């Protein structure tokens, strides 16, 4: 019997855009989210990143499409969920966010959110990565924790399994803590 | 003035499929190839992996589309270049390889190549990774070296830069050697 989350996803195609700048681990975050959905939660998934000559030093993004059905057209049309870790990324990718979509913005990096009618969540993600976790590189994983807890796009069990399978052993504990910190942060948002 | 490789790519869209099994680093290889083309060689690039419930333990692939023009449709239709590190992956993905395409198969893993009219190159890539490089995990990087040297899909300078930017410092030397080993192997094929 399908659970509530599976029913919700049943006829839907969900598109997620993880954005920020190069070096913030957004491709890895996209791969972990995609593997959580595809390998552990049983959805069809396409995970894409695009580059052009403008990519050097600019806004960076990773896109994940999650569907119950086979994905014939993997390009993200309108995102349902947008993570923006920088102002530049928010300005650029919010245009592709569906009007009833979900935005998670780093509140100390994205100081001005363009007009947007959907759900907006703001949290000092990078600050927490540095101050609570002691490593700014886990902002991507904290973000995944917040998104999964708030949107139920994949199960918490699946995202944890996918994280563990993708992260080198020596930084596994740190990353699991970061993910769980994201879950806890989201409960208070 | 555009060089010969740029002219060749000018009106073309090249599609690359890197296939094998999970854990062979094919997603990483796809990202390195995509960043080489997009960030260092100035092409437009889309890099995709797809997962479904069948992905657990099965054939794995990473797709890279490289184009001079903006990529509106990122799904790989017919590949121009296929890397197959396992028999299962070769059997599955050769169907999507263009008839005038290019196949690089691991000769000790892919024992039977399905009928295919295009160019076929066979080499014991995984064996070399183990015996020459001392680490089976660099089969993906040796493969990139062979493909780049034989097809000129990106410049050798770009692939090396992209590799260096993506590989942790402690395994950088090993991976650069693996890439250069791939270049040398290809010269004798």
């Amino acid at each position: 019997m399908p659970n509530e989350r599976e029913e919700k996803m049943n006829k839907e195609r969900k598109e997620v855009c993880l954005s920020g700048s190069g070096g913030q681990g957004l491709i890895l975050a996209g791969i972990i989210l995609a593997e959580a959905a595809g390998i552990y939660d049983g959805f069809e998934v396409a995970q894409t990143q695009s580059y052009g000559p403008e990519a050097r030093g600019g806004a960076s993004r990773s896109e994940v499409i999650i569907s119950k059905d086979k994905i014939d057209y993997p390009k993200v049309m309108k995102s349902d969920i947008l993570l923006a870790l920088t102002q530049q990324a928010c300005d650029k990718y919010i245009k592709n966010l569906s009007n009833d979509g979900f935005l998670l913005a780093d509140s100390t990096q994205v100081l001005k959110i363009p007009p947007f009618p959907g759900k907006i969540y703001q949290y000092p993600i990078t600050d927490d990565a540095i101050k609570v976790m002691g490593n700014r590189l886990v902002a991507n994983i904290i973000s995944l924790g917040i998104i999964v807890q708030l949107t139920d796009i994949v199960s918490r069990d699946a995202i944890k399994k996918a994280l563990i399978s993708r992260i080198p052993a020596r930084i596994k504990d740190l990353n699991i803590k970061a993910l769980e910190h994201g879950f806890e942060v989201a409960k208070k948002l």
Side-chain angles (χ1 to χ4, degrees), chain A:
Chain A
M1 212 178 105
N3 64 26
E4 196 184 335
R5 188 173 48 73
E6 281 169 353
E7 273 179 7
K8 208 167 70 182
M9 288 290 298
N10 212 19
K11 286 176 196 164
E12 286 178 40
R13 168 178 160 133
K14 289 280 184 191
E15 313 200 346
V16 183
C17 176
L18 307 173
S19 73
S21 63
Q24 288 188 307
L26 295 164
I27 296 180
L28 177 62
I31 291 169
I32 290 169
L33 179 60
E35 293 189 347
I39 300 178
Y40 300 103
D41 266 354
F43 292 108
E44 296 289 335
V45 182
Q47 192 277 317
T48 299
Q49 33 275 338
S50 306
Y51 312 82
E54 83 293 350
R56 220 184 294 203
S60 159
R61 78 178 185 286
S62 169
E63 297 166 323
V64 185
I65 301 175
I66 301 175
S67 170
K68 199 75 186 173
D69 303 313
K70 203 162 175 305
I71 297 166
D72 289 320
Y73 191 75
K75 186 162 174 63
V76 169
M77 304 305 294
K78 280 279 178 187
S79 306
D80 301 287
I81 296 170
L82 172 64
L83 167 70
L85 289 183
T86 65
Q87 183 71 52
Q88 189 189 6
C90 189
D91 294 345
K92 188 165 180 183
Y93 299 118
I94 202 166
K95 296 169 198 162
N96 293 327
L97 183 57
S98 169
N99 277 342
D100 60 351
F102 166 105
L103 170 67
L104 172 63
D106 189 313
S107 57
T108 55
Q109 304 296 319
V110 182
L111 299 178
K112 199 173 171 203
I113 294 178
F116 167 66
K119 274 185 207 148
I120 298 175
Y121 291 90
Q122 294 168 278
Y123 189 78
I125 302 168
T126 309
D127 262 23
D128 258 29
I130 297 167
K131 290 174 190 160
V132 182
M133 294 291 134
N135 190 329
R136 76 155 48 231
L137 293 179
V138 297
N140 59 344
I141 305 301
I142 297 175
S143 302
L144 281 183
I146 297 175
I147 289 170
V148 167
Q149 181 69 37
L150 286 176
T151 67
D152 243 2
I153 182 96
V154 297
S155 66
R156 287 186 297 173
D157 186 47
I159 196 81
K160 196 182 274 189
K161 280 181 183 159
L163 173 70
I164 289 169
S165 86
R166 273 285 157 201
I167 293 285
R170 74 203 146 73
I171 51 170
K172 203 161 281 185
D173 288 349
L174 170 68
N175 278 275
I176 292 173
K177 271 184 202 156
L179 183 72
E180 288 172 344
H181 181 67
F183 294 157
E184 293 311 309
V185 161
K187 289 176 187 168
K188 295 171 204 149
L189 286 181

